[in-house]
Amino acid sequence: MRIDQWLSLLVIALMMAAFVWGRYRHDVVAAGSLLVAIVIGIVPAKEAFSGFADDIVIIVASALVVSAAISRSGIMDIALRRFSPEKSGPRARLILLVGIVAVLSAFIKNIGALAIMIPVAIQMARKSRVSPSMFLMPMAFASLLGGLMTQIGTSPNIIVSRVREEITGQPFTMFDYTPVGAALALVGVVFLGIFYKLLPERVREETSMDEAVKINNYTTEARVVASSAAVGKSISWLQKPAGGDAMVTGIISEGGARRTPLPDMSLKEGDLLIIEGEQAALDRIVTEGRLRLSERTHDTEKGKVINAVEAIVGEHSPLIGLSAKEVALFESTGLNLLAVSRRDMRFTERLGEIKIRNGDVVVLQGDLQKLPDLLREWGCLPLVARDLKLGRARNGLIPILILAATMVATASGGVPVATAFFAAAFLMVVTGSVPLREVYGNLDAPILIMLAALIPISDSLRTTGTTDIIADLLSRTAEVLPPYGALALILVAAMAVTPFLNNAATVLVMAPIAATFAEKLGLQPDAFLMAVAIGAGCDFLTPIGHQCNTLVMAPGGYRFGDYARLGLPLSLIVLLVSVPLLILVWPI
């Protein structure tokens, strides 16, 4: 081997060791490795930043925006409450999630299936009071397994089909992958449902501040209007979406009479409800009951962006001792008072009649550009920015329709995945499904930088000719093995190479090798080509081999080494199950 080939392997080996060590963040390790590769000459300087234009980076970035839009729409919240098992534990919900993702991944691109379900998983985790890390990595692995079941589930299957057509004149058909792929998916779902505890519990760093300012006793008011789904429904029906985190504490009829909110009491048009609880739970009650949160409406013309913010009332605030009604808060400033929280206090009066005190926490809604000045004027200090759902505008079904169109476009093969997801992210922004001010906050920069830096480093294996040497070594080794051993070797090699070449490149490198030495051994190539597709589609050991693994890294708070904890035994299971099944279904 030449010196540049040894250097290429050395840089990758040291980089992987640094990832597993975990002393430095993954993007710092990747960027440092790229600089080293440039200095020693295995990555040309003019190619150093080509990774930023790679399809994988575009797909992951776009998928993050799409997933945020779906989460923001609230549609998945409603689906979660209606279709998830009410009294089941975290394990049952995990099995439900990985099963749904696996099935979806068979018919739409696996990253699309995962993007749809990530917001659902995060909501389920909150409802189960567990970390999202329990659900997200198993779901990513399930999406990879589900993609093995059909030709359109994942890119390696499509490429392998083309290679077979070049060799035999006949491509693999849509469901040629199903017998082996479905068996692997089923075994994988069972494994993930039983052994998910191999994963350490992780918490995303950014969520710690959210928890520090969590407020459970906001009081708000909302009216039952003619279009409300709550008309004629009981109090218990209305409170169900809150999951016990919010409740109706008072009812004021249209005529001003007060009623005690008994669980079986029916709601009437015009009823004003006093509701207390955590802000996200309040939002779920208002959203699913289709209640009117405020009697006041903002003028959204002239490019105004209406937003809600949490703030604490300072000791010198002119609001102290007065109510929002007394100071004509909306008329004088355009601010809506949406909720008030006071420690160890339950309010029974209407929101606008509450006398504000020093230390009260309020949710104020108004023109985003004017909010900072108005908060200073009224002596209110904004709390740390967090995902505030109460009073937030939604576009309902629009994000789901955009994603559905994206899935149809990619499944038909008419639009490349990167183009389709980029277009979907753009449409999410222009339709207001994700506010422009939040777009770049949803793009997880450390993940994208890591991917962009790794691509030219991984490509150095090809440009230095190292992959040709590896391929030649595999061919010579396979010739002295029995057929099942050669098949297993191809599968293991594809799994090992995928993190560094990505799954599509792995197939392009490995499929011709597999077909060639199958021919040399006098064996049929089909099982070997299928082994390449399975190996390339099953990277369970790192977050960098497939965009699905990368997509869950940040929201799950995972470290680089976490993937091998669950992924290594799953990889061994795939190997043990695949080889005999491939020989049975595709005799060699």
Side-chain angles (χ1 to χ4, degrees):
M1 290 178 64
R2 301 193 311 268
I3 184 65
D4 59 340
Q5 294 166 341
W6 282 113
L7 288 174
S8 179
L9 290 173
L10 179 62
V11 168
I12 289 176
L14 292 176
M15 179 182 68
M16 297 298 289
F19 278 138
V20 174
W21 182 32
R23 175 66 176 81
Y24 299 100
R25 204 170 67 180
H26 45 268
D27 54 328
V28 175
V29 171
S33 301
L34 177 59
L35 289 174
V36 170
I38 296 169
V39 170
I40 64 179
I42 61 173
V43 172
K46 64 180 181 180
E47 302 291 335
F49 305 111
S50 59
F52 286 94
D54 192 274
D55 282 359
I56 292 177
V57 176
I58 302 301
I59 291 170
V60 171
S62 301
L64 289 169
V65 176
V66 169
S67 181
I70 293 170
S71 176
R72 186 183 175 85
S73 73
I75 295 295
M76 288 304 175
D77 292 352
I78 296 172
L80 169 65
R81 292 191 292 272
R82 290 186 178 175
F83 300 111
S84 67
E86 277 297 318
K87 298 182 180 179
S88 62
R91 185 194 296 269
R93 287 175 174 165
L94 171 64
I95 294 172
L96 176 68
L97 285 169
V98 297
I100 290 173
V101 169
V103 172
L104 285 176
S105 297
F107 301 101
I108 61 178
K109 291 294 183 183
N110 44 23
I111 189 168
L114 187 61
I116 292 172
M117 296 302 295
I118 283 177
V120 178
I122 292 174
Q123 289 298 328
M124 276 197 176
R126 289 173 181 166
K127 192 171 183 178
S128 302
R129 304 190 187 282
V130 298
S131 170
S133 64
M134 175 181 169
F135 295 154
L136 294 181
M137 190 187 296
M139 287 169 57
F141 291 173
S143 72
L144 300 185
L145 291 167
L148 302 177
M149 289 194 281
T150 64
Q151 188 179 41
I152 63 172
T154 186
S155 300
N157 290 359
I158 297 172
I159 298 171
V160 160
S161 179
R162 292 174 185 169
V163 173
R164 185 182 190 250
E165 185 176 18
E166 292 172 0
I167 295 171
T168 67
Q170 291 291 329
F172 287 122
T173 62
M174 176 74 167
F175 296 105
D176 280 347
Y177 305 85
T178 305
V180 178
L184 289 174
L186 179 60
V187 171
V189 167
V190 172
F191 168 82
L192 293 169
I194 296 174
F195 294 101
Y196 67 91
K197 289 189 177 179
L198 291 171
L199 273 176
E201 184 174 337
R202 299 294 188 197
V203 178
R204 187 175 182 177
E205 294 177 3
E206 289 84 345
T207 63
S208 58
M209 190 61 71
D210 237 23
E211 292 298 319
V213 296
K214 187 172 182 179
I215 299 167
N216 295 319
N217 67 328
Y218 272 123
T219 296
T220 191
E221 65 179 30
R223 189 172 296 278
V224 180
V225 295
S227 59
S228 295
V231 174
K233 300 291 178 59
S234 66
I235 296 291
S236 60
W237 177 90
L238 183 67
Q239 292 179 159
K240 187 177 179 180
D245 292 331
M247 61 183 295
V248 178
T249 60
I251 303 177
I252 304 173
S253 66
E254 198 168 16
R258 289 182 174 266
R259 309 202 310 271
T260 302
L262 302 175
D264 58 350
M265 178 179 290
S266 293
L267 296 169
K268 303 174 183 177
E269 181 184 346
D271 283 347
L272 183 71
L273 310 180
I274 310 298
I275 315 172
E276 180 184 285
E278 196 269 330
Q279 62 91 9
L282 296 177
D283 177 73
R284 291 196 293 271
I285 288 179
V286 172
T287 301
E288 187 141 341
R290 296 207 294 272
L291 307 178
R292 180 185 295 164
L293 186 60
S294 174
E295 304 290 340
R296 315 281 187 164
T297 57
H298 287 92
D299 179 12
T300 57
E301 296 179 359
K302 301 179 181 178
K304 284 186 180 179
V305 178
I306 305 302
N307 197 34
V309 65
E310 294 170 294
I312 187 168
V313 178
E315 61 178 333
H316 301 298
S317 170
L319 286 173
I320 293 176
L322 300 173
S323 66
K325 185 176 180 180
E326 288 173 335
V327 297
L329 187 64
F330 183 82
E331 290 79 5
S332 60
T333 66
L335 289 176
N336 260 337
L337 178 65
L338 297 185
V340 176
S341 174
R342 184 177 300 162
R343 186 173 182 179
D344 300 326
M345 179 69 181
R346 171 169 288 179
F347 297 106
T348 57
E349 59 264 53
R350 290 197 57 179
L351 189 63
E353 297 171 353
I354 295 173
K355 303 284 187 180
I356 303 298
R357 293 184 185 175
N358 176 28
D360 284 353
V361 180
V362 294
V363 178
L364 297 170
Q365 182 190 56
D367 183 352
L368 183 62
Q369 291 185 338
K370 295 180 179 179
L371 270 174
D373 291 336
L374 291 171
L375 290 175
R376 281 194 296 271
E377 179 183 340
W378 291 98
C380 297
L381 304 174
L383 296 180
V384 61
R386 61 192 185 122
D387 186 21
L388 195 63
K389 297 179 182 295
L390 192 65
R392 188 170 68 181
R394 291 180 173 85
N395 283 343
L397 288 171
I398 291 177
I400 302 297
L401 295 176
I402 292 172
L403 185 57
T406 302
M407 294 298 97
V408 171
T410 56
S412 66
V415 181
V417 176
T419 304
F421 268 86
F422 182 80
F426 174 77
L427 290 173
M428 296 295 187
V429 175
V430 298
T431 58
S433 301
V434 176
L436 189 58
R437 66 182 182 278
E438 296 181 11
V439 169
Y440 296 103
N442 288 306
L443 295 177
D444 202 288
I447 294 294
L448 300 179
I449 290 173
M450 178 189 72
L451 283 176
L454 284 176
I455 288 167
I457 296 174
S458 299
D459 196 47
S460 68
L461 290 173
R462 180 187 59 82
T463 56
T464 60
T466 309
T467 52
D468 296 332
I469 293 174
I470 295 172
D472 184 61
L473 178 63
L474 285 173
S475 296
R476 291 201 301 268
T477 305
E479 288 176 357
V480 300
L481 294 174
Y484 65 86
L487 190 62
L489 177 65
I490 285 295
L491 183 58
V492 170
M495 283 183 172
V497 172
T498 295
F500 310 107
L501 292 185
N502 78 57
N503 52 13
T506 296
V507 174
L508 292 173
V509 170
M510 293 296 300
I513 296 170
T516 298
F517 75 69
E519 183 180 353
K520 287 182 179 180
L521 295 172
L523 303 174
Q524 295 296 319
D526 291 339
F528 291 87
L529 292 175
M530 283 288 184
V532 171
I534 291 170
C538 290
D539 173 34
F540 305 125
L541 301 179
T542 74
I544 59 178
H546 196 282
Q547 54 264 36
C548 288
N549 290 355
T550 310
L551 193 61
V552 300
M553 188 177 185
Y558 300 118
R559 298 174 186 171
F560 194 94
D562 291 344
Y563 287 78
R565 295 193 184 195
L566 188 64
L568 182 58
L570 181 57
S571 298
L572 293 174
I573 289 173
V574 168
L575 176 63
L576 293 174
V577 174
S578 295
V579 173
L581 277 178
L582 284 170
I583 294 174
L584 178 65
V585 177
W586 301 97
I588 57 178

